[in-house]
Amino acid sequence: MGVRVVVVDEHRLLAEALASALKLRGHRVLAAAAPAAGAADLVISRAPEVCLLGTASPAEPGVFEPVVRIKRERPQIAVVVLGPVPSPRGIAAAFAAGASGYVRQDERIEGVERALAKARAGEVAIAPQLLQGAFTELLNPAAQPDDEGSRLLRLLTPREVEVLVRVAEGEDTRLIAAGMDIAPSTARTHVQRVLMKLGVGSRLEAAALAARTGLLDRAVPRQAGQAGQPGQAGQD
């Protein structure tokens, strides 16, 4: 029996893609949205069995305020968070706010389904390895934790970073070419280089990877900081 679910993510492309995947597997998706505000209002008004809440920054203050309100006003609605790993403080913050589960954003759809079913049944939905890793990191924090987003960003040239941002915003090759004042064939080449460097097979996968690692949040500051610097022209 499918789960009645609302999917909320900071990036609309990811919310809609996940919603489509769940619909194909027999679940009833009541809404899929990326509200800058009002996530709690949406969930409370639709009254799903489970809210799937995606965030790239689970450790940021206030991220789980919607969860607190949902559980206060509709305690019967279970909330499962889709977040990056490692993020031990984010995992702790999610459960402290009242979430019923935490799933890696790179989890297979079957894993997401298992989490939805467990949450609906009133069970805690988190992989034991994930919980163990979070506790280990909290008790023994690394001096310099690996930052996957920064590592991936260093693989890309400034022009490729701009292409990735445009891909994540849903632009096709024609729009990318027009926005960057380059030929469509050049835009297509840049997109393929980005996919290759990130180790993904599609634009959707690139957008998902950039979102869950926080790469997009770092991309704009880096572009601004490198604007006008000499020696970048040869990296197109």
Side-chain angles (χ1 to χ4, degrees), residues 97-132:
S100 299
Y102 191 104
V103 181
R104 294 173 60 125
Q105 284 178 321
D106 59 355
E107 178 62 83
R108 296 174 65 87
I109 189 65
E110 294 85 357
V112 176
E113 285 187 295
R114 285 193 295 271
L116 292 178
K118 283 188 174 183
R120 181 176 63 177
E123 301 176 24
V124 174
I126 184 170
Q129 312 93 293
L130 191 58
L131 195 57
Q132 181 181 14

Side-chain angles (χ1 to χ4, degrees), residues 48-235:
E49 293 173 302
V50 183
C51 167
L52 200 53
L53 178 67
T55 177
S57 308
E60 289 293 320
V63 166
F64 295 123
E65 283 302 315
V67 180
V68 174
R69 185 178 162 208
I70 290 168
K71 298 305 294 183
R72 182 177 65 243
E73 298 189 23
R74 293 289 189 276
Q76 72 273 21
I77 299 175
V79 179
V80 173
V81 173
L82 280 172
V85 172
S87 182
R89 295 189 181 280
I91 293 172
F95 281 101
S100 299
Y102 191 104
V103 181
R104 294 173 60 125
Q105 284 178 321
D106 59 355
E107 178 62 83
R108 296 174 65 87
I109 189 65
E110 294 85 357
V112 176
E113 285 187 295
R114 285 193 295 271
L116 292 178
K118 283 188 174 183
R120 181 176 63 177
E123 301 176 24
V124 174
I126 184 170
Q129 312 93 293
L130 191 58
L131 195 57
Q132 181 181 14
F135 282 135
T136 299
E137 175 62 24
L138 286 171
L139 293 172
N140 304 287
Q144 292 184 326
D146 180 38
D147 187 332
E148 184 70 1
S150 294
R151 184 186 70 79
L152 292 173
L153 190 60
R154 288 194 295 270
L155 298 177
L156 306 177
T157 67
R159 181 59 61 91
E160 290 165 353
V161 170
E162 182 178 354
V163 168
L164 177 59
V165 171
R166 291 177 179 275
V167 166
E169 291 174 348
E171 293 188 9
D172 59 18
T173 301
R174 179 182 57 81
L175 288 175
I176 292 173
M180 297 179 66
D181 195 24
I182 57 178
S185 59
T186 303
R188 192 174 300 108
T189 298
H190 283 313
V191 170
Q192 290 303 315
R193 286 178 180 171
V194 169
L195 299 185
M196 180 184 67
K197 288 184 177 182
L198 296 183
V200 297
S202 70
R203 297 180 183 217
L204 180 59
E205 288 182 87
L209 178 63
R212 70 171 176 260
T213 60
L215 196 160
L216 290 176
D217 297 330
R218 296 170 175 81
V220 175
R222 168 174 156 170
Q223 284 183 286
Q226 292 186 334
Q229 288 187 8
Q232 299 294 342
Q235 294 188 19

